[in-house]
Amino acid sequence: QQQVKQSPQSLIVQKGGISIINCAYENTAFDYFPWYQQFPGKGPALLIAIRPDVSEKKEGRFTISFNKSAKQFSLHIMDSQPGDSATYFCAAHTGRRALTFGSGTRLQVQP
Amino acid sequence: SAVISQKPSRDICQRGTSLTIQCQVDSQVTMMFWYRQQPGQSLTLIATANQGSEATYESGFVIDKFPISRPNLTFSTLTVSNMSPEDSSIYLCSAGTSSYEQYFGPGTRLTVT
């Protein structure tokens, strides 16, 4: 199965710090790379996404950095807040097909 | 964006019985998918729900165990048949438009005893 590898598995950050989550993919046919945020007992919520023709996308405190040659992309959460504590999943897909998910990162932002 | 609702939100079922999960989208969508998520784990694709035709199943999932219907562009059902405790999981419906974005329902938490 096409894989997306995600790290770290868990992350503890102090309030106001920067949270960084990394993903790497294998399939060069992937052309859409979203990040999802999931709180306990809830479904994943689309947070931010990027296409491979762009190296960076920023929405508020959330930034995706994309390195096409290395087949890697990362999520940066600036000024991390306790309310950001959740599980984050990177994903990838191509065309009208289902998402391939990373394994998830449990983020805890300490006050 | 699309708003997705699922029914039921949770259920406790006896071994050997079946449960049908409903997924309703507030607008017409191109794609609908069903995923399974074990607590604390990532999401695993069960199948793509095709409108008006048989669903496309991923390896390890079969129609007899997980029959899926999609009668129109806003509604789909997933049935978990002849349940065993191993089927205890969270089942999630997702829907996508032609703009690539895919949205998820709140999930159905199933416990099989």
Side-chain angles (χ1 to χ4, degrees):
Chain A
Q1 185 178 1
Q2 303 161 351
Q3 287 189 333
V4 176
K5 296 182 179 179
Q6 182 172 348
S7 63
Q9 185 175 14
S10 63
L11 182 62
I12 299 175
V13 175
Q14 296 296 315
K15 178 182 177 181
I18 302 174
S19 304
I20 302 174
I21 305 170
N22 301 299
C23 285
Y25 63 97
E26 301 173 351
N27 185 356
T28 55
F30 286 143
D31 60 359
Y32 184 75
F33 301 87
W35 285 88
Y36 286 85
Q37 178 188 57
Q38 186 176 32
F39 293 104
K42 305 293 186 182
L46 180 61
L47 189 61
I48 186 173
I50 197 167
R51 296 280 186 97
D53 55 346
V54 177
S55 62
E56 185 175 283
K57 183 175 182 179
K58 182 177 181 179
E59 290 184 0
R61 295 185 294 109
F62 300 92
T63 299
I64 300 178
S65 297
F66 189 86
N67 186 330
K68 187 175 181 179
S69 62
K71 294 187 288 185
Q72 296 176 346
F73 59 110
S74 61
L75 176 68
H76 296 235
I77 306 175
M78 313 299 288
D79 187 26
S80 298
Q81 299 297 312
D84 296 330
S85 296
T87 300
Y88 293 81
F89 293 96
C90 64
H93 82 122
T94 177
R96 295 184 175 185
R97 305 188 71 173
L99 296 160
T100 299
F101 280 91
S103 54
T105 297
R106 184 169 297 183
L107 171 66
Q108 182 180 347
V109 181
Q110 294 186 333
Chain B
S1 65
V3 177
I4 302 170
S5 59
Q6 286 184 233
K7 291 182 182 179
S9 58
R10 60 176 62 233
D11 206 341
I12 300 173
C13 301
Q14 297 288 327
R15 179 196 300 260
T17 63
S18 297
L19 175 72
T20 295
I21 303 168
Q22 299 180 3
C23 176
Q24 180 72 56
V25 188
D26 70 339
S27 59
Q28 293 186 348
V29 290
T30 305
M31 303 165 285
M32 292 186 77
F33 305 97
W34 287 96
Y35 292 83
R36 185 168 71 181
Q37 184 180 31
Q38 302 285 0
Q41 302 296 315
S42 188
L43 288 81
T44 299
L45 179 67
I46 297 172
T48 301
N50 300 308
Q51 193 256 327
S53 64
E54 190 172 288
T56 304
Y57 290 85
E58 295 300 301
S59 176
F61 298 95
V62 295
I63 187 171
D64 290 345
K65 176 68 175 177
F66 298 100
I68 289 170
S69 76
R70 188 183 172 191
N72 56 51
L73 293 175
T74 64
F75 185 77
S76 179
T77 66
L78 167 73
T79 299
V80 186
S81 303
N82 188 25
M83 287 183 286
S84 66
E86 291 72 33
D87 295 321
S88 297
S89 190
I90 301 167
Y91 292 85
L92 292 151
C93 169
S94 78
T97 67
S98 58
S99 63
Y100 278 57
E101 295 174 345
Q102 295 186 24
Y103 301 91
F104 283 83
T108 296
R109 184 177 295 267
L110 172 62
T111 302
V112 183
T113 61

